[in-house]
Amino acid sequence: MKYKSQKVAYWFFAFSMLLLVLQLVYGFIMSFAHMGFDGLHNFIPFNTARAVHTNLLVVWLLSGFMGAAYYIIPEEAQHELVSVKLAYVQLISLAVVGVVAIIGYHFNYWEGRKFLEIPRPLDYLVVVNVLTFLGIILMTLFKGKQRTTTSLVLTMGLVFAALLYLPGMIWFDNQTVDSFFRWWVVHLWVEGVWELIMGGILAFLLIKLTGVDREVIEKWLYIIVGLTFLSGILGTGHHYYYIGVGKIWLIVGGIFSALEPLAFLGMALFALAMYRKGERNHPNKQALYWTLGAAIVSFIGAGLLGMAHTLPQVNLYTHGTLVTAMHGHLAFWGAYGMIVFAFISFAMPNLTGRKLYETVAGQLAFWLTTIGMLGMTSAFAVAGVAQVYLERRMGLDFGMVQKEIEVHFLVLTICATLFTTGVILFIYEFIKYGKPNDEALVVSE
């Protein structure tokens, strides 16, 4: 750790881990409900559990990204954060908005739009919160001694993420128009600007962990940015197939959805090439495993599995089924969950001065989460294909089909338990590091 203000990142990571645990709890509630054990239905109906589960995912990832930005920007800009106190206020306000939203969902205080359920008054608080965050980041960059490509790509992703939140706040009376712009937020976040954030964090980690020249790594970043814009923006079209827009989106969505794996393939090749090229034998193998894992798993989950079911001919049958859940789980975990874990694994030794690089718990955390998530993805895949065949081809009733595929959720729950055990071990390691301290300032990575 080179700057005292980087310590604020720790609290964003801690908040992120807390929300992840809550997300897993609601995931188990849904999993048991799928198996027919819906004992909490009167208190937590499935739609409420689903909204909480998906919204917690977004917030814990955002908190992780914010923590990473608060760590990276001072180091890249060679300047302390302009206001640590304001960063803490921003974290507290983020937590307040999150708690009010989650409690509100249990009392039907929401907008009911998938992935954008948060009530409108809280939307305004989110805007203020994000503006505060961006103000700190941009002012630190402005006052800093240098502005690197890595910091600029990361900041560009964060700024675009903030701007693309706004279309979701516009009120439309028409369902189709509302859905059209809702996907600007949802799709362009996760398959557009979040990829820039991932690319920025990935580049920073590879510079630190492999020892490859910054100039070489940042040239790759330009390629990734280009591929992201090329495929991600018009790839939004695969969400427009069946919402009532023109048929042109079948062609546009089909072509650019087929190109979407390119950005993730670029990141996977980027990470592996830099790892092979690197001469530095960095002792923090845990961070390296998570970094390479993020690049590879995101290509499989977000790239290959995404393309596999977003082509019009396939999506005609898989749209809105458990096949989407298959793709979504591995994509979110590989692309964004693992990169947050990678960054926490890298940052914690530097924030605390404790070098817990090669612990058994840390290694188990990586492998159990990876195996568990691959198992969950497989269970979703089998259940999804069965659902498509029975419901979309044979014409069976939705409820009857759900009954038929209950057994697959037993497998999913077992794999989710493996995954959760890995997460608990990761959090155990996080707690074992303790809090950041000023003594770590003399311990450079």
Side-chain angles (χ1 to χ4, degrees):
M1 179 173 63
K2 296 179 180 176
Y3 298 90
K4 278 188 178 182
S5 58
Q6 288 176 296
K7 289 189 293 184
V8 73
Y10 169 85
W11 297 103
F12 280 84
F13 297 149
F15 182 55
S16 184
M17 294 296 98
L18 176 63
L19 296 184
L20 171 58
V21 171
L22 275 177
Q23 191 209 358
L24 292 174
V25 170
Y26 280 83
F28 275 109
I29 291 172
M30 295 164 67
S31 180
F32 277 99
H34 267 297
M35 286 194 292
F37 303 108
D38 199 9
L40 294 175
H41 180 80
N42 291 334
F43 309 100
I44 309 175
F46 189 86
N47 63 328
T48 300
R50 188 183 187 282
V52 174
H53 183 68
T54 54
N55 279 256
L56 281 171
L57 167 69
V58 173
V59 183
W60 83 256
L61 290 175
L62 280 177
S63 182
F65 292 159
M66 288 172 174
Y70 280 138
Y71 185 99
I72 292 173
I73 296 300
E75 204 158 302
E76 291 289 288
Q78 296 183 10
H79 194 283
E80 294 280 7
L81 290 172
V82 291
S83 176
V84 174
K85 286 182 181 175
L86 204 54
Y88 283 121
V89 170
Q90 186 244 323
L91 174 62
I92 292 168
S93 66
L94 180 67
V96 169
V97 170
V99 169
V100 172
I102 289 168
I103 293 174
Y105 292 169
H106 292 78
F107 295 95
N108 289 327
Y109 180 52
W110 53 11
E111 289 197 348
R113 296 186 302 159
K114 193 167 67 173
F115 303 122
L116 299 180
E117 288 91 349
I118 189 168
R120 188 53 49 93
L122 294 183
D123 271 335
Y124 298 118
L125 293 178
V126 171
V127 171
V128 173
N129 185 280
V130 173
L131 286 176
T132 305
F133 166 70
L134 288 177
I136 297 168
I137 294 297
L138 291 172
M139 284 303 296
T140 303
L141 267 180
F142 179 73
K143 290 189 172 183
K145 295 178 182 174
Q146 63 175 14
R147 284 174 279 280
T148 64
T149 301
T150 298
S151 65
L152 291 177
V153 168
L154 174 62
T155 305
M156 184 167 65
L158 295 167
V159 170
F160 284 166
L163 290 175
L164 284 169
Y165 189 75
L166 300 179
M169 294 177 63
I170 303 171
W171 183 264
F172 297 104
D173 291 329
N174 185 294
Q175 173 72 40
T176 297
V177 178
D178 182 73
S179 289
F180 187 92
F181 286 103
R182 185 171 64 84
W183 286 116
W184 279 32
V185 186
V186 180
H187 174 94
L188 291 177
W189 261 27
V190 300
E191 294 173 69
V193 296
W194 278 25
E195 289 178 35
L196 300 183
I197 297 171
M198 180 191 174
I201 296 174
L202 189 62
F204 180 84
L205 287 171
L206 289 172
I207 289 169
K208 299 295 180 182
L209 293 171
T210 66
V212 175
D213 288 344
R214 173 183 291 276
E215 188 180 347
V216 176
I217 288 179
E218 292 185 336
K219 278 179 182 172
W220 276 83
L221 259 185
Y222 289 116
I223 298 172
I224 290 169
V225 170
L227 291 173
T228 299
F229 282 118
L230 171 70
S231 60
I233 294 175
L234 289 175
T236 314
H238 65 242
H239 295 292
Y240 294 160
Y241 296 157
Y242 312 112
I243 66 169
V245 300
K247 288 184 179 177
I248 185 66
W249 288 108
L250 278 173
I251 302 169
V252 174
I255 292 172
F256 286 91
S257 293
L259 296 175
E260 281 194 327
L262 291 178
F264 289 103
L265 175 63
M267 277 192 263
L269 293 176
F270 167 51
L272 291 172
M274 294 307 106
Y275 170 67
R276 290 172 64 88
K277 188 179 177 68
E279 296 176 354
R280 182 190 296 181
N281 188 19
H282 200 287
N284 193 346
K285 301 298 182 194
Q286 302 287 350
L288 191 60
Y289 290 160
W290 285 110
T291 302
L292 295 177
I296 295 168
V297 176
S298 66
F299 171 59
I300 299 170
L304 291 182
L305 293 184
M307 185 187 71
H309 91 110
T310 53
L311 298 177
Q313 299 88 338
V314 180
N315 200 249
L316 176 66
Y317 297 101
T318 60
H319 194 85
T321 67
L322 291 165
V323 174
T324 306
M326 166 203 73
H327 156 56
H329 275 74
L330 194 61
F332 268 103
W333 175 244
Y336 306 123
M338 290 183 85
I339 201 68
V340 169
F341 273 40
F343 199 85
I344 292 174
S345 298
F346 168 78
M348 286 305 289
N350 300 329
L351 288 169
T352 62
R354 301 179 184 92
K355 311 295 184 186
L356 306 178
Y357 291 142
E358 291 291 336
T359 63
V360 174
Q363 292 178 21
L364 280 174
F366 175 81
W367 289 110
L368 287 178
T369 51
T370 302
I371 295 168
M373 182 53 75
L374 289 174
M376 289 167 65
T377 304
S378 302
F380 271 125
V382 176
V385 170
Q387 181 189 12
V388 167
Y389 179 76
L390 294 173
E391 190 180 314
R392 303 284 165 90
R393 294 291 292 174
M394 301 296 290
L396 267 64
D397 177 73
F398 175 82
M400 189 181 295
V401 173
Q402 293 300 312
K403 194 75 179 169
E404 292 293 327
I405 61 176
E406 277 181 357
V407 65
H408 300 300
F409 286 92
L410 173 61
V411 178
L412 186 139
T413 304
I414 292 170
C415 295
T417 304
L418 271 182
F419 177 82
T420 303
T421 305
V423 170
I424 290 169
L425 287 172
F426 186 88
I427 294 173
Y428 167 73
E429 288 288 289
F430 180 81
I431 294 170
K432 213 165 71 172
Y433 269 109
K435 294 177 185 175
N437 58 74
D438 289 344
E439 292 177 9
L441 278 169
V442 298
V443 183
S444 173
E445 83 284 4

